[in-house]
Amino acid sequence: MYFAALLARTEDGWKASDTELDDVETLSDLADLARESSPDEDTVLVLIEQEDAWFGVVRVDGEDDPRIYVSDAAAAARSSYGEILLTDELLGRDPDDGDDLDALDLDGTEDGESDEDDADSGDGATGSADAVPHGPVGDPQILDDLGVSEKELRLMSTEAVTEIAESLGASETLETVR
């Protein structure tokens, strides 16, 4: 089960809204959604959690590039919402590594002709899966200036969204959309 909410910092405090991520396909889409929730270009946090598996925080400050923290990249990689957050840049990958043209076998053989070819393609798939680390990725200092230290963020449980809201003084606000 997933939960996603936007917390926008305003001059009156934090404003929460739940959000549907069904139409969000990329990190840019998510950042645009966050910016739309704050007309004054204030800080907006997108909080996403999958029960008992992982959580993610995306921070959007005005027109700056979004900052991301994911508690467990390997768990998030198995989730459609997690895949939005796990960009090549965040994982330290070269986006050209997965170019489909490079992956084509142009040696003149057809599929299924060689067991070696099958084994090679299987190893490649395993290698790319291993490229997603177990554990946290991203900017662990994403909430430092808001009162949640790197150490606190890394130690948060599967109730991280609630813990973050409590640290920000926005738990009651968040509960209105939960």
Side-chain angles (χ1 to χ4, degrees):
M1 177 184 228
Y2 291 95
F3 174 72
L6 299 171
L7 279 179
R9 186 167 62 177
T10 68
E11 55 187 47
D12 298 327
W14 291 96
K15 180 182 100 179
S17 56
D18 62 342
T19 186
E20 285 294 323
L21 300 179
D22 295 340
D23 295 332
V24 174
E25 295 180 9
T26 66
L27 182 58
S28 281
D29 294 343
L30 187 60
D32 290 344
L33 181 68
R35 287 183 185 104
E36 289 170 11
S37 74
S38 179
D40 296 329
E41 295 189 8
D42 292 318
T43 297
V44 179
L45 302 176
V46 181
L47 305 172
I48 303 170
E49 70 181 7
Q50 180 181 5
E51 195 171 282
D52 298 329
W54 66 276
F55 70 92
V57 179
V58 178
R59 180 177 177 158
V60 178
D61 294 301
E63 292 300 317
D64 292 347
D65 288 340
R67 295 167 55 196
I68 306 163
Y69 177 82
V70 176
S71 65
D72 186 340
R78 295 185 295 270
S79 151
S80 58
Y81 296 142
E83 288 177 350
I84 293 168
L85 306 181
L86 297 175
T87 63
D88 288 333
E89 182 181 340
L90 186 70
L91 295 173
R93 293 184 191 154
D94 182 359
D96 295 330
D97 284 349
D99 189 1
D100 290 339
L101 291 177
D102 291 340
L104 290 176
D105 183 7
L106 301 176
D107 68 356
T109 61
E110 293 181 9
D111 288 343
E113 278 190 26
S114 167
D115 289 337
E116 289 179 339
D117 289 343
D118 292 343
D120 288 344
S121 65
D123 289 345
T126 302
S128 63
D130 290 341
V132 178
H134 292 275
V137 295
D139 182 357
Q141 298 172 339
I142 192 169
L143 301 173
D144 271 1
D145 64 323
L146 300 174
V148 180
S149 72
E150 174 180 345
K151 181 179 180 183
E152 291 170 315
L153 189 63
R154 289 185 187 268
L155 293 174
M156 287 191 174
S157 69
T158 55
E159 296 293 319
V161 168
T162 301
E163 293 175 41
I164 290 169
E166 285 174 5
S167 295
L168 300 175
S171 58
E172 288 180 22
T173 303
L174 182 67
E175 285 306 312
T176 63
V177 298
R178 196 176 263 276

